[in-house]
Amino acid sequence: IMLLFLADPENIDRTSLIFIVFTAAYFLVSSHVYRHIVLKLGWLGKPILSVIPKVLFSAFLLGIAWYIFEMSLSYAVNTLNAEQDFKAFQIMVFVIGAMAWYLLWAAVYFLYHYVERTNESLKSEAAIYEIELNQLKSQLNPHFIFNALNSIRALIDEDPVKSKTAITQLSNILRNSLIVNRSRLVDLKDELKTVRDYLALESIRFEERLKVALDIDPDAGSSQVPPLMIQTLVENSIKHGISRLTYGGEIRILAKIDDIGCLLVEIRNTGQISPEAYPSSTGYGLENTRRRLDLLYGPRSSFFIGNEDDNTVLTKIVIPQSLVYESIDH
């Protein structure tokens, strides 16, 4: 009837027009309700094979509902032919035809959201790799390498054995930085090896001006963390905290599993930071840290940096031990 109306609207009578209007209105309302049910039951997030039977059954029910509506409408406008319209074959043809329309609607709707979800996954994947590469570039800045090499050079004549150890520590940091883009997560114990090597090299430069204390819960060693994230925060603590103090200061690192099973890492350093200055400071690498945590874990992770007291800066991150983000390659 709708095709006839589009082809020759002048020859459509009043009864046919009523059918067209009410049928179109019914389909719009029923498809809207169907969409609400799909969203409420979370079908869009389930595997497609488990959703197909549900969609087929719901489309069949909608087909029956449409048949009942059409028969009720026919009765209301006195066009119901009980002998013809209530035959089993006629009912089956009508229900299957209506079911086909709903299946077509469902296919388009699910395909649209699948494409949207795929696009979002691609964007997240690209953003994660971009941030990790930017993080890699910011790790081994030329100043750190220059200072480390100068410290080792000065140490060679004074303590050759210690200088060899320092070279090994620097090579470990370089190696870990070069392979950072191969792993999305690493064990905390491996991340802390890099942190210890970094602090050992900085201790050569700062000597007694740098004091280090680590409090690591053994149960937290196997926890997963983004590679070089903690090392970056420790480096920032020294660069923007300890190095600016005439008498130096202390770096304290605490790591443990909290009451809900998340990894809690706290880094304290002597010094003070300006609350209005550090959020926009690229030196702290805060934006990269926040962005990586957000992309990997969403709102379940947290990041904080601020003055704990008059002489201490606290950097705290909470890392869930399961990823929200899943690679599109899996």
Side-chain angles (χ1 to χ4, degrees), residues 4-12:
L4 289 174
F5 176 74
L6 294 174
D8 191 8
E10 294 181 358
N11 293 328
I12 298 297

Side-chain angles (χ1 to χ4, degrees), residues 185 224 261-263 296-298 300-301 319-325:
L185 298 172
Q224 298 279 286
C262 293
L263 175 66
L296 287 169
Y297 307 103
R300 297 186 304 158
S301 65
I319 302 178
Q321 291 308 291
S322 62
L323 282 175
V324 172
Y325 171 84

Side-chain angles (χ1 to χ4, degrees), residues 53-100:
K54 297 180 176 68
V55 172
L56 288 172
F57 181 72
S58 58
F60 174 72
L61 294 179
L62 287 168
I64 294 176
W66 196 346
Y67 170 78
I68 295 173
F69 172 80
E70 289 291 302
M71 293 304 101
S72 301
L73 185 59
S74 296
Y75 177 81
V77 297
N78 295 320
T79 60
L80 181 65
N81 185 343
E83 183 178 351
Q84 180 68 24
D85 293 336
F86 291 154
K87 285 183 177 180
F89 178 78
Q90 185 69 13
I91 295 173
M92 182 180 66
V93 170
F94 195 97
V95 171
I96 291 177
M99 182 179 173

Side-chain angles (χ1 to χ4, degrees), residues 181-287:
N181 59 332
R182 299 180 186 176
S183 301
R184 183 158 296 139
L185 298 172
V186 297
D187 287 346
L188 175 66
K189 60 179 180 290
D190 294 328
E191 172 76 357
L192 290 177
K193 289 179 182 178
T194 302
V195 171
R196 288 188 174 95
D197 286 335
Y198 170 77
L199 289 172
L201 287 173
E202 291 292 64
S203 294
I204 298 174
R205 181 161 67 102
F206 287 98
E207 297 180 337
E208 70 278 357
R209 291 177 58 213
L210 175 62
K211 297 179 177 60
V212 177
L214 276 71
D215 182 8
I216 310 300
D217 184 348
D219 294 336
S222 59
S223 300
Q224 298 279 286
V225 298
L228 295 177
M229 178 175 287
I230 296 175
Q231 189 273 336
T232 301
L233 296 174
V234 171
E235 181 178 348
N236 286 329
S237 296
I238 292 180
K239 180 180 178 181
H240 298 279
I242 305 297
S243 65
R244 297 183 177 183
L245 302 175
T246 303
Y247 298 101
E250 182 182 26
I251 294 281
R252 288 173 287 158
I253 303 173
L254 177 146
K256 65 178 182 179
I257 302 299
D258 65 15
D259 295 337
I260 60 175
C262 293
L263 175 66
L264 170 65
V265 178
E266 295 180 343
I267 303 169
R268 290 175 171 84
N269 67 271
T270 308
Q272 286 280 278
I273 54 176
S274 171
E276 61 274 7
Y278 70 79
S280 60
S281 174
T282 56
Y284 276 92
L286 302 186
E287 188 57 36

Side-chain angles (χ1 to χ4, degrees), residues 140 144 169-177 194 197-198 201:
L140 296 177
F144 165 68
Q169 292 164 340
L170 179 59
S171 66
N172 289 339
I173 295 175
L174 289 169
R175 183 179 63 251
N176 290 336
S177 298
T194 302
D197 286 335
Y198 170 77
L201 287 173

